[in-house]
Amino acid sequence: MTQRPLLQMAAPRRGKPPRHFADLTREERQEAVRELGQPAFRAKQMAHHYYSHLTATAEDMTDLPAGARDGLVEALFPPLLSKVTSLEADGGATKKTLWSLHDNVKVESVLMKYPGRATLCVTSQAGCGMACPFCATGQMGLTRNLSAAEIIEQVRMAALAARDGDLGGDPVRLSNVVFMGMGEPLANYKAVMATVRALTTPEPEGFGLSARHVTVSTVGLVPAIDKLAKEGIPVTLALSLHAPDDELRNELVPINTRWSVDEALDAARRYFDATGRRVSIEYALIRDMNDHAHRADLLGEKLNARGEGWVHVNPIPLNPTPGSIWTASDPAVEREFVNRLRSHGIPTTIRDTRGSDIDGACGQLAIKEA
Ligand code: SAH
């Protein structure tokens, strides 16, 4: 049974967030600045403040004329995210933040610090329409898509926190962004692509992240994977497979009834061919559900049938969600699953489950207090 989302009922008015600088292309920014009576080059100055200095505050933009500064900032940088709470785990190295959007919709993002770098897990949709039964967000249904600027603001806030040493210890640079928070990124394609462009465009017009350090994770929306492959920005693609056979995957990832395991794997292989980027296969190990040795073998065979060196597998022990009957696989079963895959020659690494004690781990992002 899918629960009706409380969040959806609580949201007073859902709708388009106000227009923000980060939603606009370079030309549109110049146009917007001109409409406000300023020369077009102000757009570049503002981009520099936003993407390099990570600020959207008028007082910081001292190279803009004093008389125009407030007007420009008010018109182009409306506040989109307000912080509701944040929770820490792993001795402060993991931080989950709950944000409220303009229409009171709540979303979460998780920032994780590693030696010399930091990774942000971003939300692309409020809720999710994919209804995977083991995923907390999947139980909520879809409230709405986030705008590009609502996703980009999550990134800016995190980059600021990392730079200012909010994660304890030395400041770090936000180096990696993964679309593994709430939502199905490829179901919000336009805003996600605009975000990917903002992430990978060099400073000062973007955050200047390397495309390989940006991961788009999907249930396997085949036409959107093919579209992504043609964008010319070789981000890392993660395919949430969770089962190598249609019978079980139909249950775990319901969109499988539309695009089967083979179709999703073929699209993943085409993505590798187009980008040269090795694809990650995500596989949440669920006790007695999908963790059988014969399934590891079948997965290994299906991946090898599509060639060598194009893929690796990231098993992750299931993070049990409240009310679910499912739980993580036994460590011994997990080891056997990994060994089997490796014996097929498939590079396999267990994924890290940071932040599980603050419900900040993979697939756990869903708002309780809504
Ligand atoms: N919709 C995208 C992004 C979602 S979350 C996708 O499905 O890929 C990112 C990853 O967390 C996905 O691989 C998802 O399957 C996984 N996940 C969801 N719920 C989980 C859980 N309870 N335990 C472990 N991983 C989970």
Side-chain angles (χ1 to χ4, degrees), residues 245-292:
D245 54 300
D246 288 323
E247 197 186 348
L248 179 56
R249 193 167 190 263
N250 284 344
E251 191 179 332
L252 294 180
V253 184
I255 201 73
N256 193 72
T257 56
R258 182 96 168 264
W259 293 288
S260 66
V261 169
D262 285 332
E263 288 170 320
L265 290 177
D266 286 343
R269 170 70 215 202
R270 288 194 295 276
Y271 188 84
F272 170 78
D273 290 335
T275 61
R277 190 70 75 225
R278 202 160 69 149
V279 174
S280 300
I281 302 291
E282 308 299 304
Y283 201 109
L285 285 166
I286 313 175
R287 182 179 300 181
D288 297 333
M289 191 72 191
N290 63 354
D291 59 358
H292 315 91

Side-chain angles (χ1 to χ4, degrees), residues 134-135 179-181 183-185 217-219 240 242 282 318-319 362-363:
F134 57 89
C135 172
F179 287 84
M180 291 190 179
E184 167 51 42
S217 182
T218 178
V219 289
S240 298
H242 308 309
E282 308 299 304
L318 182 84
N319 288 306
C362 312

